[in-house]
Amino acid sequence: MLKSLKLTNFRSAENVAIEFTPGMNIFRGVSESGKSTRLEAILYALIGSKGISETLAKVVTYGKPEASLRVEL
């Protein structure tokens, strides 16, 4: 079971922390609000760079160094 997701400089998510609750959790929001980014970050945390469609240089938040990208699951 997933308990939390912490993103640092992953796409537009410079500093995001999400706590999951027991049962079903749903990402919901308007277009361009980061739903796919969060799902892609979970996939990246589980299987590494094979889970993302671009290089880390393109996934890291614009203007931030690649080494600053963090995904904690």
Side-chain angles (χ1 to χ4, degrees):
M1 180 171 88
L2 301 179
K3 295 186 180 203
S4 66
L5 175 66
K6 295 177 186 173
L7 304 176
T8 305
N9 296 331
F10 190 91
R11 297 204 183 272
S12 62
E14 287 189 58
N15 189 18
V16 173
I18 300 169
E19 298 294 324
F20 297 103
T21 58
M24 184 183 298
N25 290 262
I26 299 172
F27 290 118
R28 183 181 137 171
V30 298
S31 294
E32 300 296 318
S33 63
K35 301 176 300 290
S36 296
T37 294
R38 280 129 178 94
L39 293 173
E40 186 177 32
I42 291 170
L43 192 57
Y44 175 70
L46 293 174
I47 63 172
S49 60
K50 292 179 184 176
I52 55 177
S53 59
E54 299 173 307
T55 65
L56 288 181
K58 291 188 178 186
V59 173
V60 69
T61 301
Y62 181 77
K64 304 289 183 174
E66 283 184 49
S68 69
L69 186 146
R70 297 271 185 276
V71 178
E72 296 177 44
L73 186 62

